[in-house]
Amino acid sequence: MIFGGVGFMLNILGLVDFLREVKVLHFFILIGGAIFLKMMYGVVNKEVKDPITAHPLARKFFYLGMAVLATALVMRTYHLPYYKVLLYLDIFLQFVALGVSFSFTSEPKVNEDILDS
């Protein structure tokens, strides 16, 4: 699904020549690496299943990116100009969401029993 989305966005942005130069194996390695990092993060922090949707700020950027992507696709359907700008903005927002989800840790839980002693 991710591979298809990346290919679709590269095609919309007119980067098909770039897609032809880069072997498909590179995309599989990149996506596999991202999935592996996500799985390792899940192993390290058992409370968080999906870092993007679990972190409140990352979730906002993720859903904002999805809204921008939907708007760009509607603009493309009706042949409105500047939809490519929105696609680049969506890529940026998704990178921000991913970065925020991995860079900020959740607040440590305070043990109330220790504070009451």
Side-chain angles (χ1 to χ4, degrees):
M1 183 169 92
I2 296 171
F3 180 72
V6 169
F8 178 71
M9 290 183 76
L10 285 174
N11 187 23
I12 289 177
L13 294 172
L15 299 174
V16 177
D17 293 332
F18 171 76
L19 186 61
R20 286 186 203 147
E21 291 176 15
V22 178
K23 294 182 179 180
V24 174
L25 181 63
H26 295 132
F27 283 106
F28 282 132
I29 291 171
L30 179 68
I31 292 168
I35 291 170
F36 178 74
L37 285 175
K38 184 176 175 180
M39 288 174 53
M40 291 308 299
Y41 185 74
V43 169
V44 171
N45 191 356
K46 300 229 185 254
E47 296 174 2
V48 176
K49 294 184 180 179
D50 187 8
I52 290 180
T53 56
H55 192 280
L57 186 60
R59 183 175 45 236
K60 289 177 185 175
F61 278 112
F62 176 73
Y63 289 134
L64 179 64
M66 290 293 103
V68 168
L69 177 61
T71 305
L73 292 176
V74 168
M75 288 175 67
R76 180 176 180 257
T77 302
Y78 293 107
H79 305 291
L80 298 173
Y82 305 114
Y83 70 89
K84 289 184 179 183
V85 174
L86 290 180
L87 289 174
Y88 285 116
L89 179 64
D90 175 53
I91 292 170
F92 174 74
L93 288 172
Q94 296 303 326
F95 277 130
V96 169
L98 187 63
V100 167
S101 70
F102 282 110
S103 63
F104 297 111
T105 58
S106 60
E107 295 179 12
K109 292 185 178 180
V110 178
N111 191 346
E112 296 293 331
D113 296 333
I114 295 174
L115 293 176
D116 290 338
S117 299

